[in-house]
Amino acid sequence: MENSHTPGLAGRKEWIALGVLMLPLLLVSMDISILYFAIPFVSQDLEPSATQQLWILDMYGFVLAGLLITMGALGDRIGRRKLVLAGAAVFGAASVAAAYANSADALIGVRALLGLGGAALMPSTLALIRNLFHDAKQRGRAVTIWTGVMTTGISLGPVVSGLLLEHFWWGSVFLINLPAMVLLLVLVPFLVPESRTDPGADGAGDGAREGVREPFDLVSAALSLAALLTFIYGVKEWARHGFAPVPALAVVVGLALGYVFVRRQKRLANPMIDLELLGRRAFGGPVFANVLAMFATVGMAVFLTQYLQSVQGLDPFEAALWSLVPASGVIVAAPTAAILAQRVDRAYVMGGGFVVAAGGFSWLTQIRTDSPLWFCLSAGALYVGGLVAAMTLANELAIGAAPPERAGSAAAVLESGQELGGALGMAVLGSVGAAVYSRDMTDALPADVAAALPGGEADAVRETLGGAAAAAARLPAEAGDGVLAVARDAFSHGMGLASVGAAVVMVVAALFSFVVLRGTAGRATSGAGKGPEGGDLARAQTGVLE
């Protein structure tokens, strides 16, 4: 059983502990997006290829998503507080290494190490919250705060990045992690009790043997990570270069490894993923909807931030502040969705949110280099509002569908789905945009300018907008302006076609919500009531919206 004291109301110590645990969660989620404004500076300094630039951006999310389930299971065994401390140490050390990376390959490798530290922190913080707050209503508020901090971090990353880049070099976006990690290492041992799940506890698996701790399943851990990374690599390369044997083989191998992983989970007494829960329409459906939502959210965020900075010509901090404007859509969408969800099936409200998001992305397909700033920001507000409305209700449905004894496993699956969706969105939509940019630059770059550039620099101009900006700065004024004009047009075109992909995915998500998820809201509520605290927890979660 889970180690804990007698259940009761949490006091000041527990709420302070919650605040301390939110620090690493905020930074881990910020690191998903903190490079959006820094990438032009990284491009000028490290001169990555287009493929390397994508890996710099999304390697962190890939590793984070691939290891969440593994780290959640490891924390159950060795202790969640212990894993949080280990994750903080790894995250802090990797942040220093990233700040002083001297090559694109080194930065990619360190971003993978940051993902490892982040994966140790995220599920453990949520599990420790469940141990700190034994009262169902207090726990519901704490989990809501946890969700809000994670979502805020992704939006806050570019703002913090822009502020730092106004005064410091790009490595500062990583060094900001250090004070919080040091504070975590100092305070957590005093404020947060250790928590682990004993073998044979509820939710540990139907075949678990009481009192017997089986060896940690390293095979499943390796399979889950290898399946994800192999699949993502294949998707990235396929989207970038078109069909080729190696990317196609990578996709097939990734899917095959994923199949082996799932088959293994079915045979294990203590699986890493609760497949029975994931197979429920009321839980697995919202998880899939969230994957699609994060696909579009994260996949398009990198385009929006680079457009503001490199096409509109705003300085980093100014661009970061303007990038917060689309969040205004949330102010209208969230309460509207909550009111509608009291009157009609939540699945229809979710579907409506996805339709609104599809409209926002369709609007964004009309973006041009000379489009006014309000045009881009209004489209962003529309799709952000629709996505937040849909995701909020999807989380509520999934949490309500999970029995209390499986809440930890359910949270890990939700987090993994969100991270996977974001990583896939960045890979697929980012690759589409990069492919369009490269093709347009190859066709439109003046021959005399291309001939005047060294071979490696000419390739950089054709691969990334950052490479074009760096080359333009070293050319005579007229030639440099010509390169920048062509590059900005190519980037805007790539952003528009990536928006088409996002809009299509949103239409699929809307149809999925309307057809598959309708009628699941009632079952979700009843499912949450199974167990002594299920009904209170469901009401605590629902109360946030209603």
Side-chain angles (χ1 to χ4, degrees):
M1 300 294 292
E2 198 173 84
N3 299 336
S4 62
H5 53 76
T6 303
L9 291 175
R12 180 180 301 175
K13 179 181 178 181
E14 286 77 13
W15 288 106
I16 293 174
L18 175 64
V20 172
L21 289 174
M22 291 304 96
L23 283 174
L25 178 65
L26 180 67
L27 293 170
V28 167
S29 55
M30 278 173 54
D31 259 46
I32 296 173
S33 59
I34 203 164
L35 276 183
Y36 289 173
F37 283 116
I39 200 65
F41 297 91
V42 174
S43 296
Q44 292 178 24
D45 193 7
L46 303 183
E47 298 182 349
S49 66
T51 300
Q52 286 176 321
Q53 181 173 300
L54 282 175
W55 277 114
I56 288 171
L57 286 168
D58 55 31
M59 175 59 84
Y60 173 78
F62 292 165
V63 176
L64 183 68
L67 289 178
L68 279 171
I69 296 295
T70 297
M71 289 299 176
L74 184 62
D76 288 346
R77 298 175 66 84
I78 70 172
R80 292 147 192 160
R81 185 181 70 178
K82 187 180 298 182
L83 191 63
V84 162
L85 295 173
V90 171
F91 201 83
S95 296
V96 175
Y100 296 99
N102 57 9
S103 70
D105 288 336
L107 185 56
I108 292 170
V110 176
R111 289 279 284 172
L113 196 59
L114 279 166
L116 172 65
L121 288 166
M122 285 188 72
S124 297
T125 54
L126 185 55
L128 285 170
I129 286 172
R130 294 182 65 247
N131 186 246
L132 285 169
F133 298 92
H134 302 281
D135 177 74
K137 292 183 179 179
Q138 287 189 325
R139 189 187 306 142
R141 297 189 195 103
V143 171
T144 300
I145 293 171
W146 185 94
T147 305
V149 168
M150 183 184 67
T151 306
T152 301
I154 298 176
S155 300
L156 196 59
V159 177
V160 174
S161 174
L163 178 61
L164 290 171
L165 291 170
E166 281 285 291
H167 305 285
F168 307 102
W169 96 113
W170 61 263
S172 62
V173 303
F174 296 108
L175 291 181
I176 194 176
N177 295 330
L178 283 181
M181 294 303 150
V182 171
L183 189 65
L184 186 74
L185 289 169
V186 171
L187 295 181
V188 162
F190 298 100
L191 294 172
V192 180
E194 184 57 282
S195 167
R196 64 170 57 88
T197 301
D198 294 331
D202 290 341
D206 295 337
R209 293 172 292 169
E210 185 72 33
V212 177
R213 186 174 292 277
E214 298 178 355
F216 186 73
D217 190 6
L218 292 176
V219 175
S220 289
L223 280 172
S224 63
L225 183 59
L228 177 71
L229 292 182
T230 306
F231 178 76
I232 294 295
Y233 169 79
V235 170
K236 280 168 54 68
E237 292 301 301
W238 201 333
R240 169 70 178 164
H241 300 292
F243 178 82
V246 173
L249 180 62
V251 170
V252 172
V253 170
L255 292 174
L257 290 172
Y259 175 77
V260 173
F261 172 77
V262 170
R263 293 283 297 178
R264 182 176 178 82
Q265 301 312 295
K266 290 180 178 180
R267 296 196 302 267
L268 292 176
N270 295 287
M272 286 187 174
I273 293 181
D274 188 343
L275 295 176
E276 189 276 330
L277 177 61
L278 190 59
R280 296 182 187 176
R281 185 163 62 104
F283 180 79
V287 168
F288 180 67
N290 254 348
V291 170
L292 297 179
M294 288 298 290
F295 178 96
T297 301
V298 178
M300 287 305 300
V302 65
F303 286 102
L304 185 62
T305 53
Q306 286 195 65
Y307 178 83
L308 293 176
Q309 185 175 348
S310 298
V311 177
Q312 289 282 343
L314 303 177
D315 62 59
F317 186 53
E318 187 181 9
L321 290 178
W322 278 114
S323 71
L324 289 179
V325 172
S328 62
V330 178
I331 300 174
V332 177
T336 301
I339 293 171
L340 290 175
Q342 298 176 39
R343 293 168 170 77
V344 299
D345 192 318
R346 282 174 168 78
Y348 292 129
V349 183
M350 282 177 57
F354 284 126
V355 169
V356 171
F361 287 123
S362 298
W363 185 341
L364 213 55
T365 63
Q366 303 304 306
I367 202 78
R368 300 292 183 268
T369 303
D370 58 352
S371 296
L373 184 60
W374 68 263
F375 188 89
C376 176
L377 296 178
S378 299
L382 190 63
Y383 83 70
V384 168
L387 281 169
V388 168
M391 290 177 65
T392 302
L393 295 176
N395 283 328
E396 182 189 355
L397 284 175
I399 291 170
E405 67 272 12
R406 298 187 184 182
S409 173
V413 171
L414 269 173
E415 293 168 26
S416 298
Q418 289 174 345
E419 295 297 335
L420 175 60
L424 281 170
M426 192 177 289
V428 175
L429 298 181
S431 295
V432 168
V436 173
Y437 174 88
S438 180
R439 185 196 64 195
D440 285 4
M441 285 299 291
T442 300
D443 294 341
L445 188 65
D448 57 332
V449 174
L453 294 170
E457 193 165 303
D459 290 339
V461 168
R462 294 188 182 97
E463 288 181 344
T464 68
L465 182 56
R474 292 190 285 270
L475 289 170
E478 186 175 349
D481 290 343
V483 169
L484 273 181
V486 172
R488 287 168 175 167
D489 285 342
F491 181 86
S492 299
H493 187 202
M495 179 178 174
L497 288 186
S499 300
V500 173
V504 170
V505 171
M506 291 299 91
V507 171
V508 171
L511 293 174
F512 177 81
S513 300
F514 292 142
V515 175
V516 177
L517 296 184
R518 61 182 178 182
T520 57
R523 279 186 287 277
T525 303
S526 62
K530 295 176 183 178
E533 297 177 333
D536 289 338
L537 180 58
R539 283 189 293 274
Q541 294 287 344
T542 305
V544 177
L545 293 175
E546 300 180 352

